[in-house]
Amino acid sequence: QQQVKQSPQSLIVQKGGISIINCAYENTAFDYFPWYQQFPGKGPALLIAIRPDVSEKKEGRFTISFNKSAKQFSLHIMDSQPGDSATYFCLSGGSNYKLTFGKGTLLTVNP
Amino acid sequence: NAGVMQNPRHLVRRRGQEARLRCSPMKGHSHVYWYRQLPEEGLKFMVYLQKENIIDESGMPKERFSAEFPKEGPSILRIQQVVRGDSAAYFCASSQGQGNQPQHFGDGTRLSIL
C-alpha cells in the first residue's frame, strides 16, 4: 500500500501566483510518481508523472521537482489561473497498480 | 471521445435493490480498475480486471460486490442488496498494461441509496 503524505490540504492563490503542493513518501521501492487533477464532478486526470532518476520535469506551467534523498516531491504551478482550481493528488507507485489517493489538496485560484 | 466511458453517471437505488455500473475502457486498453470514493475521502482501489479475468479483488467487499470484464462488452461492477453505506462515487480506470502504465479515469457513477 502506497504511503504518501500531502500538504497543504487546501491552498488559496491569487491569479498569476505560484501554487506549490508538497508530498513525502516512505517506500523507496516506488519508481513512479504521478500527479492527478480532479475537477468537481469529474474523474481524476493524469496531469504529470516523474520517475526518481529525474530531478525535475516540466510540462507547460506545471513542474514536478523530485528530491530522492529526502523522499519528497512537489508540484509547482506557475502563473496560476482560475481554471487550475481543482483537487490535486500526488501518488506513488511501482509494480503495484493499486493507486492510493489521499484526500488531496484543494487549490483555489482567485481571479 | 475515446476516453473511459462510464454509465450511468447517476444512479439512485432503494435499499435492497441491485446496482449495475458499466465501464467501457479506452480504445486499445485491456486492463480495467474500479475505485470507490466515499464523501470527503480519496479514491480507494477495489478490483483489477483483464478480459475475462479478475486479477486482484482485494479491495472489494467480500459480500454483495462482484465485478466482471467479459470478452465482449463493458466491465460491470455489480452491487447486490445495496445499503446506505454504498452511496459513493465509483470510478473506473483503464490502462494498456499494469504497473507503471498510466491509468486513465472515467467521470464516475454517483450512486445514491435511498
Side-chain angles (χ1 to χ4, degrees):
Chain A
Q1 192 84 350
Q2 297 94 335
Q3 294 291 331
V4 176
K5 295 182 180 178
Q6 184 173 346
S7 63
Q9 289 190 0
S10 63
L11 179 62
I12 299 175
V13 174
Q14 292 298 122
K15 179 182 176 182
I18 302 173
S19 303
I20 302 174
I21 303 171
N22 299 300
C23 288
Y25 65 99
E26 297 177 357
N27 192 330
T28 55
F30 296 139
D31 59 359
Y32 176 61
F33 299 87
W35 285 86
Y36 279 81
Q37 177 191 55
Q38 185 177 24
F39 293 104
K42 297 291 188 180
L46 179 63
L47 185 64
I48 187 172
I50 197 170
R51 300 192 188 279
D53 55 346
V54 177
S55 61
E56 186 176 281
K57 183 174 181 179
K58 184 176 181 179
E59 290 186 2
R61 295 183 295 108
F62 299 88
T63 300
I64 299 180
S65 298
F66 192 89
N67 186 332
K68 188 174 181 179
S69 61
K71 293 189 289 185
Q72 295 176 346
F73 56 111
S74 60
L75 175 68
H76 289 62
I77 306 175
M78 311 300 289
D79 187 26
S80 299
Q81 300 296 312
D84 297 331
S85 297
T87 300
Y88 292 81
F89 299 94
C90 62
L91 287 75
S92 61
S95 59
N96 189 343
Y97 42 76
K98 298 179 187 177
L99 298 181
T100 299
F101 291 75
K103 294 185 179 180
T105 295
L106 178 61
L107 172 65
T108 302
V109 181
N110 289 327
Chain B
N1 187 345
V4 177
M5 302 300 293
Q6 290 188 248
N7 68 82
R9 290 296 313 279
H10 301 274
L11 182 61
V12 179
R13 285 287 178 266
R14 296 187 181 280
R15 281 179 294 172
Q17 291 184 321
E18 179 180 287
R20 283 190 179 227
L21 288 62
R22 296 174 184 78
C23 169
S24 295
M26 284 182 69
K27 187 177 181 180
H29 287 190
S30 58
H31 300 249
V32 166
Y33 316 81
W34 285 93
Y35 292 80
R36 177 167 64 176
Q37 185 174 32
L38 296 171
E40 307 301 321
E41 297 285 335
L43 280 74
K44 297 291 191 291
F45 169 83
M46 298 181 72
V47 62
Y48 163 36
L49 311 102
Q50 295 180 27
K51 285 285 187 181
E52 300 184 280
N53 285 304
I54 297 175
I55 307 302
D56 183 346
E57 56 183 349
S58 60
M60 199 157 64
K62 295 291 187 287
E63 298 180 352
R64 302 188 298 107
F65 285 72
S66 62
E68 63 177 15
F69 188 16
K71 186 176 181 180
E72 300 291 337
S75 175
I76 305 289
L77 179 66
R78 181 185 180 198
I79 311 172
Q80 295 179 292
Q81 299 176 337
V82 296
V83 301
R84 287 256 171 86
D86 296 333
S87 295
Y90 292 83
F91 290 94
C92 169
S94 72
S95 69
Q96 284 186 320
Q98 69 173 63
N100 293 344
Q101 293 295 319
Q103 293 184 23
H104 299 267
F105 285 80
D107 286 337
T109 293
R110 277 142 187 88
L111 175 63
S112 298
I113 308 303
L114 301 179

